[in-house]
Amino acid sequence: MTTTPTVTRARFSAAVTAAATLVVASVLGGPPALADDAPSVPPGTEATASAPVELDPNDPDLKLPDGATLAEPKVLDIKQVVEDQSGDERREDTNSDVKFALQAEVLFPKDSAKLSAQAKSRISTIAQEIKAQNATKIRVFGFTDNLGSSAHGDVLSRKRANAVQSVLGQELNDSDVTYEVRGYGEQYPIADNSTEAGRKKNRRVEVSFPRSENGS
């Protein structure tokens, strides 16, 4: 009757000693846990030993209906976007078009449609690209953020688009060039209007034109 408590106390003491040793080893820096040497893979992409599903080449569901033909192959439109570090100017190139987006702050004073000297220099650079592309149909669209009334944004964006088109007309000086000029106001935002950074991107004038096969 006297030996059972003694054995129990001995086992309890050993367990406490082992736990304390683990705690000390953890605090003082014991041996690191061993990691799995196998590389991790995304769930669902693990290798499997099962054979791939076999397809029946004679399955009628895999054949075109009688009289049907495949669509003509075409090259998908590829877009390349380049934006300067300040974010003031953005250029988009696709297989068919070139588009420049200039933020309003680099073109006009606040709530104004009067171009600055710096703005005219930027527009002149765009005119040179239009000449290089031999483009004769130019689109000039103005946009604002969603602050203020919608009607005011429509008018201001149209006035700003007109101002940019006027400088382009002087630079190109070509009667064969036609312009489509519109003011869209707060429509078609490209960023979140709930932040000032987003509203700044939305206040812009876009100049776009077709890319020529012989252009650069």
Side-chain angles (χ1 to χ4, degrees):
M1 298 296 293
T2 59
T3 58
T4 301
T6 303
V7 173
T8 302
R9 286 195 298 271
R11 290 177 178 175
F12 177 75
S13 176
V16 171
T17 302
T21 302
L22 289 174
V23 171
V24 171
S26 175
V27 173
L28 297 181
L34 295 178
D36 187 0
D37 291 334
S40 60
V41 295
T45 62
E46 298 88 351
T48 175
S50 60
V53 178
E54 293 187 2
L55 297 178
D56 180 5
N58 297 316
D59 189 336
D61 292 334
L62 298 179
K63 296 182 179 180
L64 289 174
D66 292 339
T69 58
L70 294 174
E72 289 293 329
K74 68 175 183 177
V75 178
L76 296 177
D77 204 9
I78 300 175
K79 178 185 292 187
Q80 179 183 14
V81 179
V82 178
E83 187 175 76
D84 62 13
Q85 291 184 345
S86 64
D88 292 341
E89 183 173 330
R90 174 186 177 96
R91 172 173 175 158
E92 296 182 7
D93 287 87
T94 68
N95 297 340
S96 56
D97 294 282
V98 180
K99 179 195 293 182
F100 287 90
L102 299 175
Q103 288 189 0
E105 279 78 356
V106 303
L107 298 176
F108 310 96
K110 183 178 180 180
D111 201 29
S112 171
K114 183 178 181 180
L115 288 166
S116 64
Q118 179 187 9
K120 293 179 180 179
S121 174
R122 287 177 178 265
I123 297 171
S124 177
T125 300
I126 296 176
Q128 295 304 313
E129 181 65 19
I130 293 173
K131 292 178 181 178
Q133 297 294 342
N134 300 314
T136 57
K137 295 182 179 180
I138 316 299
R139 297 177 295 272
V140 186
F141 298 158
F143 305 86
T144 64
D145 57 29
N146 65 347
L147 298 182
S149 70
S150 176
H152 177 71
D154 291 343
V155 173
L156 179 61
S157 62
R158 177 57 188 261
K159 287 182 177 180
R160 286 176 168 177
N162 284 334
V164 172
Q165 183 276 324
S166 178
V167 175
L168 285 174
Q170 296 171 12
E171 291 286 336
L172 297 174
N173 191 25
D174 188 344
S175 59
D176 291 332
V177 175
T178 59
Y179 299 88
E180 180 183 357
V181 184
R182 297 187 181 185
Y184 285 104
E186 65 187 55
Q187 299 182 67
Y188 310 111
I190 58 174
D192 187 356
N193 267 316
S194 65
T195 67
E196 175 53 28
R199 291 191 293 270
K200 182 178 180 181
K201 287 183 176 293
N202 291 332
R203 299 189 294 265
R204 68 197 189 279
V205 175
E206 294 181 354
V207 179
S208 58
F209 43 90
R211 173 183 294 282
S212 169
E213 294 182 359
N214 298 324
S216 59

